[in-house]
Amino acid sequence: MRRREFVAGLASTVVGSPIVMALAACLCVPSPWSVAYSWAQGIAPRYEVDFSFPQPFPDLWVTGGFGGHCIDAQDHVLLLNRQDVLDGELNSGHLAPLMIELGPTGKVVHSWGDPNLVEGTVAGLRNGPIQFRLHTCHFDQDNNVWIASSPGGMIQKYTHDGSKLLQQIGRKGVFDTSDGTIKGTPLNSNAARFTSPASIQVDRQNGDIYIADGESRDGNSRVLVLDANGSFLRQWRITDMESVHCMAFANDGTVYVCNRYGNQIRLYDKMGNFKRTFDYPWQPATVPADGKIEQSGGATVALAFSRDPAQTFMFVVNQNNSRIDIVERQSGKVVSTLGQIGNLPGQFNQPHSVAVDLRNNLYIVENRGRRIHKFTQKPNP
């Protein structure tokens, strides 16, 4: 099998004799000692794309864009399929389910999703005539899964296999706005209501539910905290963010929030006290002739942490440059990049979500490109 290595945004193809090919393949699973040692020294991890992941989907499935994904306690990956297929595509296949669960080898092991239960379709968006705006998922300490769409008036918790809806907070089609519709003025009210949930995190210590309610530019702009029963506890508004697009907890309790169009990551404690900001200025590869630089999604769209105890690195989706920025978590410094624009394996067409499994493999999904990529770590020399 031929693999391609991506280091600091550059791609090189492994070629040569079968012996060289075999040796390269052996490097796909580094020893835990070598990885831990290199990360302890602050050396940026290196990755290569896994061409065998995922395995072909069954039953001629046709997917739409993937709005997000999350990883459970067994390193299974749950994909959120927006089902925004194009006209004519179903002549050659069948519409794939809303939720697709992949095992560690990339094989589909389960699928589920009742369109009557999840948030309704939205007209006139990107690829297809309608699509579900599935945006985020999160496995809690009990391995149950939380799902939200954006725009969305609710969040939902399901059993791991999706067979039972365990909890719903908010009402379908009822938004936290002046008139209860998506067109109303956002309220950011002290209540368990939403306009556009972008991320969900459940505190494993006490079960509190944190929601980044601010994916849409014309929606709420805040981080909302509820107790395990869904009752309002507190919130902190972030009025100078056009899109509060992602949120993640570090092991030390710091809450990382993506300012998508401001190209920042802001750090807070769990009470909403501001700690610091990491800025990520970016430059287009080709500057327009008129000099007017426009973003194509933002430089801080989503993030995930490495799984070493210190969580040494963050992996940040930089949609403007179609790559993943590898960031030293404590300093906020970009130390390496992964990928580039394109449609080949390991290249990205609107990356939208990133996740890390227990072995520090990276998984990136695309909305426009409708794919998932897996990258395995290589030991540093």
Side-chain angles (χ1 to χ4, degrees):
M1 178 180 297
R2 196 162 84 181
R3 295 180 179 270
R4 185 172 296 140
E5 178 186 341
F6 292 83
V7 182
L10 300 178
S12 61
T13 304
V14 178
V15 295
S17 69
I19 295 176
V20 174
M21 299 289 285
L23 289 173
C26 291
L27 294 177
C28 298
V29 183
S31 72
W33 184 89
S34 65
V35 172
Y37 176 79
S38 64
W39 286 20
Q41 307 307 308
I43 301 172
R46 305 187 307 156
Y47 289 91
E48 61 184 4
V49 67
D50 183 346
F51 287 98
S52 68
F53 192 99
Q55 297 185 36
F57 289 163
D59 197 29
L60 299 176
W61 278 0
V62 181
T63 73
F66 293 127
H69 66 315
C70 51
I71 297 178
D72 70 6
Q74 288 73 45
D75 278 350
H76 286 207
V77 182
L78 184 67
L79 300 174
L80 305 185
N81 172 27
R82 290 181 166 178
Q83 294 188 333
D84 51 338
V85 299
L86 300 175
D87 290 340
E89 287 188 321
L90 297 185
N91 287 335
S92 56
H94 303 113
L95 186 62
L98 290 167
M99 318 296 176
I100 302 171
E101 181 183 343
L102 305 178
T105 65
K107 181 179 179 180
V108 173
V109 296
H110 187 55
S111 62
W112 56 279
D114 183 348
N116 295 314
L117 287 180
V118 302
E119 200 68 45
T121 56
V122 179
L125 293 173
R126 278 192 292 273
N127 295 339
I130 59 172
Q131 66 174 351
F132 286 86
R133 283 299 305 277
L134 290 167
H135 196 272
T136 186
C137 62
H138 170 72
F139 286 98
D140 62 21
Q141 63 271 23
D142 299 317
N143 222 18
N144 295 315
V145 64
W146 294 79
I147 303 287
S149 296
S150 180
M154 64 184 185
I155 62 175
Q156 297 176 318
K157 179 173 74 169
Y158 290 88
T159 54
H160 182 275
D161 63 359
S163 62
K164 184 177 181 180
L165 176 61
L166 298 175
Q167 187 176 4
Q168 178 173 305
I169 304 172
R171 293 172 55 195
K172 182 175 181 176
V174 179
F175 301 90
D176 184 40
T177 64
S178 55
D179 62 2
T181 74
I182 194 62
K183 296 182 179 180
T185 302
L187 298 177
N188 291 285
S189 60
N190 291 342
R193 298 194 297 267
F194 319 99
T195 61
S196 50
S199 288
I200 302 171
Q201 293 280 301
V202 178
D203 192 326
R204 293 180 180 271
Q205 295 181 350
N206 58 19
D208 287 351
I209 308 159
Y210 289 67
I211 303 101
D213 185 24
E215 190 273 341
S216 173
R217 279 174 159 158
D218 54 0
N220 284 342
S221 183
R222 61 178 175 169
V223 174
L224 177 65
V225 187
L226 312 175
D227 67 18
N229 297 315
S231 299
F232 177 86
L233 291 177
R234 62 186 177 275
Q235 67 169 316
W236 64 92
R237 296 187 62 183
I238 314 176
T239 57
D240 60 342
M241 281 193 190
E242 289 185 79
S243 176
V244 186
H245 195 263
C246 85
M247 174 190 58
F249 288 175
N251 291 339
D252 61 12
T254 304
V255 182
Y256 290 69
V257 179
C258 294
N259 181 3
R260 179 178 189 172
Y261 298 110
N263 307 313
Q264 295 176 331
I265 295 175
R266 295 191 193 171
L267 282 60
Y268 301 85
D269 66 22
K270 290 183 179 179
M271 299 305 295
N273 297 307
F274 172 76
K275 299 179 71 172
R276 66 184 301 188
T277 295
F278 296 141
D279 290 301
Y280 296 98
W282 65 280
Q283 289 293 326
T286 302
V287 178
D290 60 6
K292 296 180 179 179
I293 298 174
E294 295 185 3
Q295 302 203 60
S296 52
T300 52
V301 173
L303 67 85
F305 302 113
S306 59
R307 293 293 192 100
D308 60 304
Q311 295 183 307
T312 307
F313 296 101
M314 296 190 296
F315 305 94
V316 180
V317 175
N318 179 343
Q319 217 170 71
N320 286 339
N321 297 119
S322 290
R323 71 188 190 204
I324 306 302
D325 289 332
I326 302 176
V327 176
E328 188 178 67
R329 186 174 70 88
Q330 292 296 331
S331 68
K333 179 183 177 182
V334 177
V335 294
S336 185
T337 64
L338 178 71
Q340 63 184 56
I341 192 168
N343 294 301
L344 298 175
Q347 299 177 342
F348 304 127
N349 184 351
Q350 201 181 52
H352 191 256
S353 180
V354 57
V356 184
D357 71 13
L358 293 172
R359 296 181 62 83
N360 277 302
N361 299 311
L362 290 183
Y363 301 82
I364 293 95
V365 299
E366 304 172 352
N367 180 31
R368 191 163 53 215
R370 303 195 258 181
R371 295 184 299 173
I372 178 170
H373 304 261
K374 178 183 179 181
F375 292 87
T376 58
Q377 191 180 351
K378 293 173 61 70
N380 285 293

